[in-house]
Amino acid sequence: MYHNPVLLKQSVDDLVTNPDGTYVDCTFGGGGHSREILSRLSEKGRLFSFDQDLDALKNTIDDPRFTLINQNFRFLENSLLMYGISQIDGVLADLGVSSHQFDEAERGFSTRSDAPLDMRMNVMQGLDAKRVINDYEEEQLADIFYYYGELREARKLARDIVHHRKNKSINTTEDLKKLFSYLPPHKVNKFYAQLFQAIRIEVNQELEVLKEMLVQAYNVLRPEGRLVVISYHSLEDRLVKRFLKNGMFEGEPQRDIYGNYTKAFELVKSKAIIPDDKEIEENSRARSAKMRTGIKVG
């Protein structure tokens, strides 16, 4: 299976309220969410799905209501305008790396395989993990590890990498892991997950891309349109939660004399939806998923 969609029924239940409407799936992948959305639409409904990964294009759906756009979802607004679409009824974004990308060892996403340091979701882009690890200054690396991987020993890690690469470049995931072979076994799995996450976020500019998509989704949604986002780590979820609350990523909204502010969205549920035990048992990658849904205030 290319990708096992997470929170499939719950996300599409929240998303599709108008069978005749126009919807966007920001992360097509294996097409699981897109196929479920199409099953809820009438003949008048339309679905535009985005994916920058060339491998995902092989999963395209033969349906006149469906259009697959080979673009990063940071270009959501302009891409829709090219098809004459300025307003839509809902946006779904299932963030993170697909099962296929993890399972294809040569992509370098997995901590389990010895593979080239790559981690690009779009293999046509220039920046890859090898360049980040071998070319970034020590301070840049430390910031990435601290802010994107939430690793407290970020400065030491960066120093170790810079010291090693003076003599020999770091070309593969195994090269990188060997630098930290001194770690106690009980800390290894969590450490490598955080380290690889930090590098991947930098390579793909994931947090900046997410912010751009959220703003553009708000712009193109009709009043009462729905934004559904499934995130997989606290950095993403924090941005999504804050944006759905007040339409901002930092700072405080302007309030009136009574302390009220204009909301961007009404939340469908105050707390994030998480997969149940059955789904986690069937799909371990669903374990960290959190889903939040907002309805655009008219």
Side-chain angles (χ1 to χ4, degrees):
M1 182 175 289
Y2 188 99
H3 182 68
N4 192 359
V6 175
L7 292 166
L8 178 62
K9 185 177 185 302
Q10 298 95 319
S11 60
V12 181
D13 283 350
D14 272 9
L15 180 74
V16 179
T17 57
N18 174 16
D20 297 336
T22 300
Y23 292 89
V24 166
D25 178 0
C26 285
T27 45
F28 177 69
H33 284 110
S34 287
R35 287 181 172 83
E36 182 66 21
I37 293 167
L38 286 168
S39 75
R40 312 286 186 95
L41 300 183
S42 71
E43 291 182 1
K44 296 179 182 178
R46 295 184 73 183
L47 173 63
F48 293 87
S49 294
F50 286 73
D51 208 299
Q52 62 183 327
D53 192 336
L54 294 173
D55 286 352
L57 302 184
K58 301 170 187 174
N59 304 317
T60 191
I61 302 168
D62 184 15
D63 189 310
R65 302 169 298 169
F66 175 74
T67 302
L68 179 55
I69 301 173
N70 182 210
Q71 280 281 15
N72 189 308
F73 57 59
R74 75 190 312 168
F75 304 116
L76 171 68
E77 197 168 3
N78 282 341
S79 296
L80 290 176
L81 284 174
M82 290 178 64
Y83 289 90
I85 305 297
S86 59
Q87 281 198 313
I88 59 176
D89 295 272
V91 177
L92 169 65
D94 179 7
L95 306 174
V97 183
S98 73
S99 300
H100 172 76
Q101 289 167 328
F102 270 123
D103 294 339
E104 290 288 300
E106 66 271 16
R107 301 293 292 272
F109 286 106
S110 175
T111 63
R112 300 190 306 273
S113 305
D114 184 15
L117 276 172
D118 193 324
M119 302 193 196
R120 294 173 295 173
M121 292 184 180
N122 176 4
V123 296
M124 304 301 288
Q125 76 176 37
L127 182 65
D128 61 10
K130 182 179 176 181
R131 278 185 57 190
V132 170
I133 291 299
N134 288 282
D135 295 349
Y136 275 31
E137 299 291 338
E138 183 178 322
E139 188 174 346
Q140 286 179 283
L141 287 174
D143 285 346
I144 290 165
F145 298 153
Y146 183 77
Y147 291 111
Y148 295 165
E150 300 180 292
L151 289 159
R152 288 179 294 178
E153 62 273 38
R155 298 214 173 277
K156 181 185 183 306
L157 303 178
R159 192 162 54 246
D160 289 346
I161 288 171
V162 171
H163 175 74
H164 179 87
R165 76 189 190 193
K166 287 177 181 177
N167 301 312
K168 186 179 180 182
S169 64
I170 302 164
N171 299 317
T172 69
T173 54
E174 201 61 33
D175 289 344
L176 181 61
K177 289 166 66 177
K178 282 178 181 176
L179 300 185
F180 310 110
S181 58
Y182 56 81
L183 289 169
H186 68 280
K187 288 188 176 181
V188 165
N189 289 340
K190 183 179 180 182
F191 170 79
Y192 286 141
Q194 290 174 281
L195 180 67
F196 276 50
Q197 172 185 294
I199 300 166
R200 192 197 77 224
I201 289 174
E202 173 63 18
V203 168
N204 298 288
Q205 298 291 294
E206 291 178 28
L207 299 184
E208 291 306 312
V209 168
L210 173 58
K211 288 192 277 189
E212 290 177 32
M213 182 275 289
L214 291 173
V215 170
Q216 291 178 47
Y218 178 82
N219 292 343
V220 298
L221 279 170
R222 305 179 195 279
E224 306 298 319
R226 295 193 169 207
L227 175 59
V228 182
V229 185
I230 304 169
S231 60
Y232 293 86
H233 55 76
S234 60
L235 299 175
E236 291 174 336
D237 184 58
R238 206 173 295 139
L239 289 174
V240 173
K241 182 179 179 180
R242 190 168 178 83
F243 186 75
L244 289 177
K245 180 181 178 183
N246 57 32
M248 301 174 68
F249 302 111
E250 55 188 33
E252 290 296 326
Q254 190 170 2
R255 299 174 182 269
D256 62 23
I257 58 173
Y258 303 105
N260 300 315
Y261 62 89
T262 302
K263 290 184 178 180
F265 294 90
E266 292 287 352
L267 298 180
V268 171
K269 288 186 172 62
S270 58
K271 292 186 177 181
I273 301 300
I274 60 174
D276 59 22
D277 292 341
K278 183 174 184 295
E279 179 169 6
I280 292 171
E281 184 179 343
E282 293 173 353
N283 180 13
S284 62
R285 287 173 180 155
R287 185 181 297 110
S288 57
K290 288 185 176 181
M291 186 185 87
R292 298 185 188 274
T293 303
I295 302 172
K296 182 176 177 179
V297 175

